[in-house]
């Protein structure tokens, strides 16, 4: 039996019962206004009609509630929607996930070529991202890893000058980082591997009284292009970065 037929049955039965008992329809104890009569039946029918309609059953368009429906898992309920916090999607403070160290201007390198003392020496990557190597001239180092640079030097030496060259490249000193803004001692400092913004602030003597500790700006050179990053305090700083600490307004 459908729900419409069930409601009609509830409404008609008191009328039939009233006629069987010879009671006037509009009397106080009649089938319209009496207990168990049409009024009570209509109240019960309205209560049934106000229940949420199960999934798959058609909904009467004239009876749709204006309250928002909230989906919680596989269930549905009526009322104000719950506020669900959004998971953090910002960068993580894990140095190992920040990629390999890429060379750039200011890095001091020790290049060793086995059996070639005239080629084995200390080099500094210049402002153009290059290093001068005897016999082969300038070699581009910017954006390369130490192993990649060693392979490049070995290929060029082996082409015309040295038979089967064995080349190793080590970093003697990383290029510095810079910190500006609301710190006690802004300036240039030696880079420490795996350091974060908080570490950089500590190296620069800590915050001033007016410093904001919420967000920081990092200026970074990537493949020759300058990029500005709004970062949290646990963001990993790279060598050559410029960290700026904002001033708070209140």
């Amino acid at each position: 039996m459908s729900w419409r037929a069930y409601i009609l049955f509830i409404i008609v039965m008191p009328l039939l019962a009233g006629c069987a008992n010879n009671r006037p329809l509009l009397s106080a104890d009649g089938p319209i206004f009496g207990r168990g009569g049409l009024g009570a039946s209509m109240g019960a029918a309205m209560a049934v009609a106000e229940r949420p309609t199960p999934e798959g059953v058609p909904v009467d368009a004239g009876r749709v509630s204006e309250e928002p429906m909230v989906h919680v898992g596989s269930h549905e309920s009526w009322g104000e929607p719950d506020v669900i916090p959004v998971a953090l999607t910002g960068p993580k403070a894990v140095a190992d996930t920040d990629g390999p160290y890429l060379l750039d201007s200011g890095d001091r390198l020790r290049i060793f070529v086995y059996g070639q003392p005239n080629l084995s020496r200390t080099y500094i990557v210049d402002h153009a991202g290059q290093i001068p190597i005897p016999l082969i001239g300038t070699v581009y180092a910017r954006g390369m890893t130490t192993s990649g640079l060693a392979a490049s030097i070995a290929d060029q030496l082996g082409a015309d000058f040295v038979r089967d060259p064995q080349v190793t490249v080590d970093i003697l000193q990383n290029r510095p980082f810079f910190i500006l803004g609301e710190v006690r001692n802004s300036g240039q400092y030696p880079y420490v591997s795996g350091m974060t913004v908080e570490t950089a602030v500590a190296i620069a003597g800590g915050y001033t009284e007016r410093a904001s500790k919420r967000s920081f700006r990092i200026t970074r050179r990537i493949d020759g292009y300058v990029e500005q990053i709004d970062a949290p305090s646990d963001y990993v700083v790279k060598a050559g970065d410029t960290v700026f600490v904002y001033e708070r307004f209140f």
Side-chain angles (χ1 to χ4, degrees), residues 164-180:
D164 191 21
Q166 303 297 317
V167 181
T168 59
V169 177
D170 298 316
I171 299 176
L172 291 181
Q173 184 177 354
N174 300 104
R175 60 189 182 274
F177 76 94
F178 306 86
I179 185 165
L180 304 170

Side-chain angles (χ1 to χ4, degrees), residues 13-14 21 26 107 120 126 143 145 152 179 200 216 218 242:
M13 283 304 295
N21 295 331
L26 300 179
D107 286 323
S120 302
D126 63 19
T145 62
S152 176
I179 185 165
F216 308 85
I218 293 180
T242 299

